[in-house]
Amino acid sequence: MRTTALAAAIACFVGATIGGPAARAADSVDLLLVLAADVSRSIDETEFNLQRKGYAAAMTDPRVLRAIVGGRKHAIAVTFIEWSGAADQNVVVDWTVVRDEEAAASVAATMLAAPRSFLGRTSISAAIDFAMERFGAAPAEADKRIIDISGDGTNNAGRAVTEARDQAVAAGVTINGLAIINTQANPGYAFHTQPPGGLPKYFEENVIGGSGAFLFTIDNFGDFAESITRKLVTEIAATPDRSQTASAR
């Protein structure tokens, strides 16, 4: 009798543990967002710092926070990665559920404290592939998944960027872009930062894709903070016409 009672108690405890918070389905948020920042060698240290500080400022901007809390589930999950060559991707900020100013400030502080990840070639395709893998590690679920690619040049390493884009889009992911017109890059990088037809055209034809995909273009890294803030608000609030691809400066 005692053995039976003990076994029953253990079974009850195990059942309660399995049904506890750790084993429940993932939380639901409005958006899973991968922020993917180019840190290839065409971006010098001054430009890198403007970009990194721009992301941090955007995460804590009141407009972004209002967009987050204004969603149906009042939260998003975000991760920030830096990338350059085909084998160069780094998680700077792991997945974080942001539903208030405190969580946003934590993401921003981690961004600012981390050293630069790389200084190599440019593989947008590998960045997309890596971002797709990160969705599998997300701590929450969302109907909307976005990869936000910022960069100042074309894909020059790894597989074809259109292959990576098309696979991501086929999986239901949207890829948005922020094309940075880098007029200060070393002249030797002109073929990379200034492709035929211009970088915005390259991003529109090769990088962005999926439901409601859009591109922002900025003329220099000094405008990065304001541009990424507006871009995040657009992505979180889903304000543009999602029936067509849009390009905004």
Side-chain angles (χ1 to χ4, degrees), residues 10-11 23 42 62 66 81-82 95 153 170 228 230 243-244:
I10 293 173
S42 58
R66 283 195 298 269
I81 67 173
E82 289 180 338
W95 283 111
I228 197 64
R230 292 193 298 113
S243 66
Q244 61 184 355

Side-chain angles (χ1 to χ4, degrees), residues 195-219:
L199 190 64
K201 180 181 179 182
Y202 178 86
F203 264 69
E204 288 176 344
E205 294 180 349
N206 298 276
V207 179
I208 69 171
S211 177
F214 65 92
L215 173 71
F216 272 32
T217 301
I218 61 173
D219 293 324

